[in-house]
mmCIF file of all heavy atoms in Angstrom:
data_model
loop_
_atom_site.group_PDB
_atom_site.id
_atom_site.type_symbol
_atom_site.label_atom_id
_atom_site.label_comp_id
_atom_site.label_asym_id
_atom_site.label_seq_id
_atom_site.Cartn_x
_atom_site.Cartn_y
_atom_site.Cartn_z
ATOM 1 N N PRO A 106 73.716 129.289 130.486
ATOM 2 C CA PRO A 106 74.191 128.766 131.689
ATOM 3 C C PRO A 106 75.411 127.834 131.432
ATOM 4 O O PRO A 106 75.655 127.369 130.336
ATOM 5 C CB PRO A 106 73.052 127.932 132.179
ATOM 6 C CG PRO A 106 72.282 127.573 130.974
ATOM 7 C CD PRO A 106 72.363 128.624 129.909
ATOM 8 N N LYS A 107 76.205 127.632 132.456
ATOM 9 C CA LYS A 107 77.530 126.905 132.382
ATOM 10 C C LYS A 107 77.133 125.407 132.236
ATOM 11 O O LYS A 107 76.138 124.862 132.747
ATOM 12 C CB LYS A 107 78.230 127.095 133.605
ATOM 13 C CG LYS A 107 78.778 128.492 133.834
ATOM 14 C CD LYS A 107 79.639 128.667 135.124
ATOM 15 C CE LYS A 107 80.128 130.059 135.269
ATOM 16 N NZ LYS A 107 79.126 131.063 135.553
ATOM 17 N N ALA A 108 77.959 124.635 131.488
ATOM 18 C CA ALA A 108 77.781 123.244 131.220
ATOM 19 C C ALA A 108 79.088 122.619 130.834
ATOM 20 O O ALA A 108 79.890 123.116 130.284
ATOM 21 C CB ALA A 108 76.779 123.110 130.085
ATOM 22 N N LEU A 109 79.093 121.284 131.230
ATOM 23 C CA LEU A 109 80.223 120.408 130.738
ATOM 24 C C LEU A 109 79.692 119.087 130.302
ATOM 25 O O LEU A 109 78.712 118.684 130.754
ATOM 26 C CB LEU A 109 81.079 120.108 131.963
ATOM 27 C CG LEU A 109 82.022 121.368 132.485
ATOM 28 C CD1 LEU A 109 82.801 120.980 133.692
ATOM 29 C CD2 LEU A 109 83.051 121.674 131.376
ATOM 30 N N PRO A 110 80.427 118.511 129.284
ATOM 31 C CA PRO A 110 79.926 117.188 128.851
ATOM 32 C C PRO A 110 80.201 116.090 129.937
ATOM 33 O O PRO A 110 81.070 116.184 130.634
ATOM 34 C CB PRO A 110 80.823 116.942 127.539
ATOM 35 C CG PRO A 110 81.407 118.261 127.220
ATOM 36 C CD PRO A 110 81.477 118.957 128.549
ATOM 37 N N PRO A 111 79.350 115.026 129.969
ATOM 38 C CA PRO A 111 79.438 114.032 131.031
ATOM 39 C C PRO A 111 80.578 113.082 130.782
ATOM 40 O O PRO A 111 80.965 112.392 131.748
ATOM 41 C CB PRO A 111 78.088 113.243 130.974
ATOM 42 C CG PRO A 111 77.641 113.544 129.535
ATOM 43 C CD PRO A 111 78.033 114.967 129.157
ATOM 44 N N LYS A 112 81.197 113.115 129.595
ATOM 45 C CA LYS A 112 82.328 112.223 129.419
ATOM 46 C C LYS A 112 83.484 112.482 130.509
ATOM 47 O O LYS A 112 84.316 111.611 130.654
ATOM 48 C CB LYS A 112 82.842 112.250 128.054
ATOM 49 C CG LYS A 112 83.434 113.501 127.529
ATOM 50 C CD LYS A 112 83.830 113.579 126.154
ATOM 51 C CE LYS A 112 84.355 114.939 125.651
ATOM 52 N NZ LYS A 112 84.642 114.835 124.193
ATOM 53 N N TRP A 113 83.507 113.695 131.025
ATOM 54 C CA TRP A 113 84.682 114.036 131.859
ATOM 55 C C TRP A 113 84.488 113.516 133.328
ATOM 56 O O TRP A 113 85.368 113.654 134.201
ATOM 57 C CB TRP A 113 84.935 115.643 131.908
ATOM 58 C CG TRP A 113 85.147 115.933 130.476
ATOM 59 C CD1 TRP A 113 84.542 116.906 129.696
ATOM 60 C CD2 TRP A 113 86.285 115.642 129.636
ATOM 61 N NE1 TRP A 113 84.964 117.071 128.479
ATOM 62 C CE2 TRP A 113 86.231 116.338 128.434
ATOM 63 C CE3 TRP A 113 87.318 114.672 129.827
ATOM 64 C CZ2 TRP A 113 87.008 116.060 127.314
ATOM 65 C CZ3 TRP A 113 88.319 114.512 128.749
ATOM 66 C CH2 TRP A 113 88.041 115.189 127.529
ATOM 67 N N PHE A 114 83.345 112.811 133.554
ATOM 68 C CA PHE A 114 83.229 112.124 134.809
ATOM 69 C C PHE A 114 84.218 111.010 134.979
ATOM 70 O O PHE A 114 84.697 110.560 136.057
ATOM 71 C CB PHE A 114 81.759 111.476 134.919
ATOM 72 C CG PHE A 114 80.687 112.429 135.193
ATOM 73 C CD1 PHE A 114 79.552 112.265 134.354
ATOM 74 C CD2 PHE A 114 80.802 113.423 135.988
ATOM 75 C CE1 PHE A 114 78.502 113.090 134.610
ATOM 76 C CE2 PHE A 114 79.722 114.300 136.243
ATOM 77 C CZ PHE A 114 78.596 114.122 135.479
ATOM 78 N N TYR A 115 84.585 110.328 133.741
ATOM 79 C CA TYR A 115 85.115 109.026 133.731
ATOM 80 C C TYR A 115 86.677 108.848 133.727
ATOM 81 O O TYR A 115 87.219 108.372 132.851
ATOM 82 C CB TYR A 115 84.605 108.249 132.496
ATOM 83 C CG TYR A 115 83.013 108.057 132.607
ATOM 84 C CD1 TYR A 115 82.232 108.915 132.043
ATOM 85 C CD2 TYR A 115 82.554 107.024 133.305
ATOM 86 C CE1 TYR A 115 80.773 108.813 132.036
ATOM 87 C CE2 TYR A 115 81.151 106.805 133.362
ATOM 88 C CZ TYR A 115 80.328 107.772 132.782
ATOM 89 O OH TYR A 115 78.901 107.579 132.828
ATOM 90 N N ASP A 116 87.262 109.496 134.759
ATOM 91 C CA ASP A 116 88.648 109.044 134.974
ATOM 92 C C ASP A 116 88.609 107.740 135.753
ATOM 93 O O ASP A 116 87.575 107.224 135.906
ATOM 94 C CB ASP A 116 89.422 110.148 135.764
ATOM 95 C CG ASP A 116 88.886 110.506 137.125
ATOM 96 O OD1 ASP A 116 87.784 109.876 137.449
ATOM 97 O OD2 ASP A 116 89.442 111.241 137.916
ATOM 98 N N ALA A 117 89.724 107.295 136.374
ATOM 99 C CA ALA A 117 89.730 106.040 136.947
ATOM 100 C C ALA A 117 88.778 105.993 138.244
ATOM 101 O O ALA A 117 88.014 105.070 138.400
ATOM 102 C CB ALA A 117 91.213 105.663 137.488
ATOM 103 N N ARG A 118 88.710 107.119 138.880
ATOM 104 C CA ARG A 118 87.954 107.131 140.163
ATOM 105 C C ARG A 118 86.400 107.283 139.634
ATOM 106 O O ARG A 118 85.621 106.600 140.238
ATOM 107 C CB ARG A 118 88.311 108.345 141.030
ATOM 108 C CG ARG A 118 87.363 108.563 142.225
ATOM 109 C CD ARG A 118 87.344 107.323 143.034
ATOM 110 N NE ARG A 118 86.507 107.528 144.231
ATOM 111 C CZ ARG A 118 85.888 106.438 144.842
ATOM 112 N NH1 ARG A 118 85.975 105.293 144.422
ATOM 113 N NH2 ARG A 118 85.124 106.759 145.945
ATOM 114 N N GLY A 119 86.226 108.108 138.597
ATOM 115 C CA GLY A 119 84.815 108.137 138.154
ATOM 116 C C GLY A 119 84.294 106.953 137.700
ATOM 117 O O GLY A 119 83.083 106.620 137.890
ATOM 118 N N SER A 120 85.161 106.121 136.892
ATOM 119 C CA SER A 120 84.733 104.769 136.488
ATOM 120 C C SER A 120 84.353 103.870 137.570
ATOM 121 O O SER A 120 83.409 103.113 137.523
ATOM 122 C CB SER A 120 85.837 104.221 135.572
ATOM 123 O OG SER A 120 85.898 105.005 134.520
#
Side-chain angles (χ1 to χ4, degrees):
K107 298 178 176 67
L109 288 174
K112 63 183 177 181
W113 302 118
F114 290 137
Y115 295 96
D116 63 351
R118 177 56 180 155
S120 297

